[in-house]
Amino acid sequence: MPRSILKPILLATAVAGTLDILAATILTLVRGSQPMGMLRFVASGPFHGATQWGSQGSLLGLAVHFALMAVMVTVFMLAASRWRRLLEKPLLWGLLYGLATYVVMNLVVVPLRWPAAFPPSPLSVATQLFCHIVLVGIPIALIARRYLRRRSAFA
């Protein structure tokens, strides 16, 4: 991967990943649950027994969260470096990308792993859409524009 695209990938992963996990933590606390349990649940996606792994499972959940975010960010950055049009209207493309990440995560990934989690409530859908659009998609698109607009990502 070219170095010129690595910096925006790392920055967008850190920003969007942090915003998203903070929102998840706040929502978990509002619901009266413990953030460490939420993180173990995240880890249990790829690691089925992680809900029983204590603090190690929670740390693994945080790593899984940021790994998923890095994939989401990398996909957008590579697309934006190829289709420069994505950099022209970051709010529009961030909104659309946030919607796309919502669809992939909540209508494909989560139901495949946890079929009993569906159908989601209208409040859950609204909350997830907000997080994916405002806290993930738009920051990723703005960072892509900032770092990729003036030069080729593969220069």
Side-chain angles (χ1 to χ4, degrees):
M1 184 173 306
R3 290 189 75 212
S4 60
I5 200 170
L6 188 58
K7 183 176 182 178
I9 288 173
L10 293 174
L11 180 61
T13 299
V15 170
T18 300
L19 290 171
D20 189 50
I21 203 66
L22 283 174
T25 299
I26 291 167
L27 290 169
T28 299
L29 290 169
V30 166
R31 292 181 184 129
S33 297
Q34 294 298 313
M36 298 297 270
M38 175 268 297
L39 289 169
R40 286 191 297 274
F41 183 76
V42 170
S44 75
F47 304 97
H48 294 267
T51 56
Q52 307 302 315
W53 294 352
S55 59
Q56 292 85 359
S58 298
L59 287 172
L60 183 60
L62 193 59
V64 167
H65 167 75
F66 277 98
L68 288 169
M69 190 61 64
V71 170
M72 291 180 202
V73 167
T74 301
V75 167
F76 188 88
M77 293 294 173
L78 290 174
S81 68
R82 171 167 248 168
W83 296 293
R84 310 296 284 176
R85 197 174 304 167
L86 297 178
L87 303 174
E88 294 169 9
K89 296 181 179 179
L91 295 180
L92 171 65
W93 290 108
L95 181 149
L96 293 174
Y97 193 63
L99 184 59
T101 63
Y102 169 84
V103 168
V104 170
M105 288 303 297
N106 290 283
L107 301 180
V108 178
V109 174
V110 172
L112 286 173
R113 174 62 178 92
W114 296 286
F118 284 85
S121 71
L123 179 59
S124 174
V125 170
T127 302
Q128 288 296 316
L129 281 171
F130 172 83
C131 290
H132 280 266
I133 292 169
V134 176
L135 305 179
V136 175
I138 290 174
I140 291 170
L142 289 170
I143 291 169
R145 178 183 172 132
R146 165 75 170 88
Y147 284 89
L148 303 180
R149 187 173 185 193
R150 289 193 181 92
R151 53 185 152 48
S152 169
F154 296 103

